[in-house]
Amino acid sequence: MAIMRETKSNIGSILRKVRVRLGYPINEKLFQVCGIQRSGNHALINWIISQQPLKTCFINGVFPDQNPWEQNWGISYRNFDYWPGHRDLAGALVSKQLLICSYENYALDKIDRHRSQLLVDVGKSQEVCSVLILRDPYNTFASWLKAGWDVTAEITEMWKVYAREFIGQTSYLQNQTVTINFNTWFASQEYRRQLAHALNLEFTDRGLDIITHHGGGSSFDKQSLDGNAKQMNVLRRFQAFVDNPVYRKIFQDQEIQELSEKIFGEIEGTKVL
């Protein structure tokens, strides 16, 4: 019986490779998710995956210059009746209804250039979408400092690059692109409903209260509020750092403040910075 299953699997892999050479899609949806660390990337990805029971593969921490099956921060499968990781690593191109490739802290033009090679490595998809996640800088960088990370000039500049792309000043991402305001996603069910529609997913709002293990959970709460994530004070993290000179120095950059207000509006309590 096992031999028959293995033979059937091998034949399926051969047929998929033929389909790839002929230019046919292997997967239904591919989301290239772009975000800066501590921007709620994993919370949002888990919510996306949870909306409907699709056979899903999530590749965490894709490196734009590497084969994602070989170099990543971890791969998980949802709603598969078996774990096809070894077959994907072998290049079998197992079909997925939803394939999510997550990039963190990478230049957007580099992510976009990776798309053509990515489609060779994972197979073409019927739908390809870039998902750009942005959290306000006050809470993003408070979470960085809470995690014990240095907030470098390079990362603050990257936040500005993402923000300019978010408001349409630049267009590095050439795919169909869905932008996600993390603050509004966390606070508004109607916004989440609109996002599900934009991503061509059924809206159920499942997964909102789950804190995933990816990324170590919250910088402040770790995974202590798993199952009750809505209780997390994610929009007020900055309050713990308003008197921190390292933190205050970040916001001497006037453009960061202007971009933040344009995207997130005035955030009460940040004027002291």
Side-chain angles (χ1 to χ4, degrees), residues 3 20 24 30 42 66-68 78 94 109 148 170 198 220 226 229 237 251 260 273:
I3 294 175
V20 168
Y24 291 103
L30 168 64
H42 295 116
Q66 301 289 334
N67 184 318
R78 184 85 66 90
V94 178
D109 58 340
T170 59
F220 286 79
D226 188 17
R237 299 305 198 195
F251 299 99
S260 177
L273 298 168

Side-chain angles (χ1 to χ4, degrees), residues 34-37 39 103-111 132-134 140-141 144 151-166 170 172 253 256 259:
C34 320
I36 292 170
Q37 284 181 287
S39 294
Y103 303 77
E104 295 189 19
N105 300 353
Y106 280 107
L108 296 176
D109 58 340
K110 190 170 186 178
I111 295 172
L132 177 63
I133 299 171
L134 197 69
T140 297
F141 297 132
W144 271 64
V151 180
T152 63
E154 180 182 26
I155 203 63
T156 56
E157 182 61 33
M158 184 169 291
W159 187 92
K160 291 190 292 184
V161 169
Y162 277 48
R164 295 185 200 114
E165 184 82 3
F166 194 98
T170 59
Y172 291 115
D253 186 326
I256 290 180
L259 286 167

Side-chain angles (χ1 to χ4, degrees), residues 73-88:
W73 293 347
I75 301 177
S76 61
Y77 295 88
R78 184 85 66 90
N79 300 319
F80 275 87
D81 53 6
Y82 66 102
W83 194 271
H86 69 286
R87 294 181 59 205
D88 279 328

Side-chain angles (χ1 to χ4, degrees), residues 17-33:
K17 289 178 181 179
V18 171
R19 285 175 60 82
V20 168
R21 293 194 193 100
L22 294 176
Y24 291 103
I26 294 298
N27 310 298
E28 292 184 16
K29 299 175 186 290
L30 168 64
F31 293 162
Q32 282 186 282
V33 180

